[in-house]
């Protein structure tokens, strides 16, 4: 009997939406360079600019405020490196600032770039979060001094799904004369977002998190905001990002956005129901399960849970043998033995962090899939705990029957 295959790792990446695939296949015959003046180039340019309008409209931006980039990581690096450039007076008219504020739970592309800038002399302050992963606002106000040039806080965390109050953060930062960036890679397509309501100067998004292709993302840059190219060499993207535009990827991103706009609201309702069913099922069938992230201010598709006495890597591998794909709460899969920096920042012990998994649902996930997960998961946890020398409940070691 063939093993059932269920994909519950949508925060890592998503499959191409059928309509996105169809749109991209139809566009494959269009090979012109968007910078060329002849008919082939003009056709490609028209498609790029139409796509720009679609994506900009989705977040309430003007089309000229959108820059197509190669990934969310590139967009985030662009913003942080821009600040470093601006702080050295590379951009006339931008008041020199000497520090950056970000959080301890950002994506590694933000954390590692911030640490790199710190080694080069930029002052970087990392905000603490509470047990649910929400920014310590009192600490933020304390850190928000005159020399802060940039505040970078992700909209929703990729591991635990917790949502930040970006509008309030932006309001406070702007009152201080600081620029504001939000990494919205995990939030776009899972919640309605408008850059005017958020009040941000920069916003990052990526296509492959919303059923679009890999290798394409977009950066919103508010009109009038200081900017300096991260990649130089050509006039593409109005001089803001050199390199021939990924026309096919851009078309795929725009179609993915169109489909999110059409499907997202109903999908969110389904996600909330499935997430609650999954949480209730785990609580009713597995002892000592600990849920991570905010109980309400969280992405509707994301559930992060720790199982003391069971290693996340082992849980992930046993589930994989049963055809279920999830991710682990530790960084072991990437070659590191360190537990999740996000869970540690919320006050989790290293042991608890190592015993966590992230379950992230998508547009094709069904309640039947959740039922299968709940059929399989309790036995997996029981089996792993029976082999553990550390897991004890009620004063006795738990063994398999």
């Amino acid at each position: 009997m063939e093993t059932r295959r269920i994909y519950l790792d949508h925060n890592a990446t998503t499959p191409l939406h059928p309509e996105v695939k169809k749109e991209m296949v139809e566009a494959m015959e269009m090979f012109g360079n968007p910078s060329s003046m002849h008919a082939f180039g003009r056709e490609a340019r028209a498609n790029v600019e139409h796509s720009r309008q679609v994506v900009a409209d989705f977040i309430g931006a003007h089309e000229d405020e959108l820059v197509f980039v190669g990934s969310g990581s590139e967009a985030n690096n662009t913003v942080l490196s821009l600040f470093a450039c601006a702080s050295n007076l590379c951009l006339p008219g931008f008041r020199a600032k000497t520090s950056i504020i970000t959080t301890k739970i950002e994506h590694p592309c933000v954390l590692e770039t911030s640490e790199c800038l710190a080694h080069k002399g930029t002052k970087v302050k990392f905000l603490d979060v509470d047990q649910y992963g929400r920014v310590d606002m009192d600490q933020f106000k304390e850190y928000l001094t005159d020399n802060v040039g940039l505040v970078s806080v992700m909209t929703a965390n990729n591991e635990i799904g917790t949502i930040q109050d970006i509008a309030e953060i932006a309001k406070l930062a702007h009152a201080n004369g600081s620029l504001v960036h939000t990494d919205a890679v995990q939030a776009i397509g899972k919640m309605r977002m408008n850059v005017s309501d958020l009040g941000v100067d920069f916003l990052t998004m990526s296509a492959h998190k919303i059923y679009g292709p890999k290798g394409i993302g977009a950066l919103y840059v508010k009109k009038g905001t200081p900017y300096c190219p991260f990649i130089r060499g050509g006039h593409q993207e109005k001089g803001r990002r050199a390199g021939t535009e990924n026309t096919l990827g851009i078309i795929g991103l725009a179609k993915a956005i169109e489909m999110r706009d059409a499907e997202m609201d109903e999908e969110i309702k389904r996600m909330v129901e499935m997430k609650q069913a999954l949480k209730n099922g785990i609580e009713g069938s597995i002892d000592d399960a600990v849920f991570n992230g905010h109980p309400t201010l969280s992405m509707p598709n994301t559930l992060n849970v720790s199982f003391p006495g069971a290693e996340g890597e082992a849980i992930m591998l046993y589930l994989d043998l049963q055809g279920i794909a999830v991710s682990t709460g530790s960084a072991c899969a990437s070659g590191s033995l360190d537990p999740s920096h996000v869970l540690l920042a919320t006050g989790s012990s290293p042991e608890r962090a190592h015993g966590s998994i992230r379950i992230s649902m998508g547009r094709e996930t069904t309640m039947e899939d959740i039922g299968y997960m709940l059929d399989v998961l309790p036995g997996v946890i029981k089996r792993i705990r029976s082999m553990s020398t550390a897991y004890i409940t009620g004063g006795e070691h738990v063994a398999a029957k």
Side-chain angles (χ1 to χ4, degrees):
M1 184 176 178
E2 186 177 353
T3 302
R4 185 170 181 174
R5 288 170 58 83
I6 297 176
Y7 186 71
L8 295 174
D9 197 18
H10 289 81
N11 283 10
T13 194
T14 55
L16 276 180
H17 192 293
E19 292 299 319
V20 173
K21 182 178 180 180
K22 178 181 177 182
E23 189 90 351
M24 293 179 69
V25 168
E26 291 177 354
M28 281 183 175
E29 297 301 319
M30 181 181 57
F31 63 88
N33 188 321
S35 296
S36 298
M37 297 296 291
H38 48 60
F40 296 92
R42 293 198 304 273
E43 179 188 21
R45 171 56 56 193
N47 276 273
V48 167
E49 295 312 316
H50 169 73
S51 298
R52 194 188 311 276
Q53 185 69 66
V54 169
V55 178
D57 286 347
F58 187 67
I59 60 171
H62 188 275
E63 60 185 82
D64 289 340
E65 297 176 310
L66 206 72
V67 183
F68 289 121
V69 295
S71 64
S73 292
E74 182 192 323
N76 290 341
N77 272 262
T78 296
V79 174
L80 293 168
S81 297
L82 158 72
F83 167 76
C85 184
S87 68
N88 290 320
L89 302 180
C90 179
L91 298 179
F94 182 67
R95 183 160 55 95
K97 300 277 189 173
T98 58
S99 67
I100 293 173
I101 295 177
T102 187
T103 81
K104 294 180 179 179
I105 63 169
E106 298 297 309
H107 188 276
C109 68
V110 169
L111 292 177
E112 292 187 19
T113 303
S114 297
E115 290 168 358
C116 178
L117 291 174
H119 284 300
K120 294 178 181 179
T122 299
K123 295 180 181 178
V124 183
K125 296 179 180 179
F126 297 92
L127 290 168
D128 292 323
V129 295
D130 64 19
Q131 62 179 317
Y132 303 117
R134 294 270 287 180
V135 165
D136 183 332
M137 293 300 288
D138 289 334
Q139 186 184 57
F140 176 56
K141 294 172 184 177
E142 177 187 340
Y143 283 0
L144 201 57
T145 55
D146 289 342
N147 66 346
V148 174
L150 178 72
V151 175
S152 180
V153 178
M154 66 191 340
T155 307
N157 185 262
N158 51 301
E159 290 192 32
I160 59 177
T162 297
I163 300 170
Q164 306 293 343
D165 189 349
I166 299 300
E168 180 62 19
I169 289 170
K171 179 181 177 181
L172 293 170
H174 284 155
N176 188 65
S178 308
L179 297 175
V180 181
H181 164 248
T182 188
D183 176 354
V185 166
Q186 288 295 339
I188 290 287
K190 302 186 183 86
M191 58 186 284
R192 292 285 174 182
M193 301 184 68
N194 184 289
V195 290
S196 296
D197 294 338
L198 293 174
V200 295
D201 302 292
F202 305 98
L203 181 144
T204 296
M205 68 177 75
S206 180
H208 80 102
K209 305 293 188 181
I210 54 173
Y211 312 99
K214 296 174 178 63
I216 184 69
L219 174 64
Y220 161 76
V221 183
K222 184 179 179 180
K223 186 177 181 180
T225 300
Y227 187 86
C228 192
F230 182 59
I231 298 178
R232 298 175 178 272
H235 60 274
Q236 294 88 357
E237 296 299 292
K238 297 187 176 179
R240 297 174 295 185
R241 198 270 190 181
T244 301
E245 289 95 340
N246 176 4
T247 308
L248 197 60
I250 290 169
I251 290 171
L253 168 58
K255 191 61 180 182
I257 288 291
E258 284 185 355
M259 299 315 298
R260 285 289 80 206
D261 195 27
E263 299 176 350
M264 183 174 66
D265 295 336
E266 284 301 316
E267 186 178 293
I268 288 173
K269 297 176 183 177
R270 287 197 313 109
M271 293 292 178
V272 170
E273 292 175 358
M274 290 189 292
K275 180 177 178 179
Q276 191 61 53
L278 182 59
K279 185 174 185 293
N280 292 343
I282 291 174
E283 288 177 325
S285 61
I286 303 174
D287 293 334
D288 300 330
V290 181
F291 296 96
N292 304 303
H294 200 281
T296 57
L297 299 174
S298 179
M299 288 290 95
N301 79 314
T302 306
L303 189 68
N304 189 299
V305 57
S306 298
F307 301 97
E311 283 284 339
E313 293 291 307
I315 300 170
M316 180 184 69
L317 293 173
Y318 272 114
L319 288 175
D320 189 46
L321 290 174
Q322 297 295 321
I324 302 172
V326 300
S327 67
T328 174
S330 70
C332 302
S334 62
S336 170
L337 294 178
D338 296 331
S340 161
H341 71 282
V342 174
L343 294 181
L344 292 181
T346 65
S348 172
S349 67
E351 292 77 18
R352 173 178 152 189
H354 271 304
S356 66
I357 60 170
R358 180 189 66 189
I359 304 164
S360 49
M361 298 167 284
R363 61 180 297 274
E364 296 180 342
T365 307
T366 65
M367 196 63 82
E368 288 73 24
D369 294 334
I370 300 303
Y372 181 64
M373 175 67 162
L374 291 172
D375 287 340
V376 172
L377 184 60
V380 166
I381 301 301
K382 187 173 184 179
R383 180 175 184 181
I384 297 172
R385 282 175 170 174
S386 73
M387 296 183 285
S388 173
T389 59
Y391 180 66
I392 296 177
T393 183
E396 296 183 3
H397 180 77
V398 174
K401 293 182 179 178

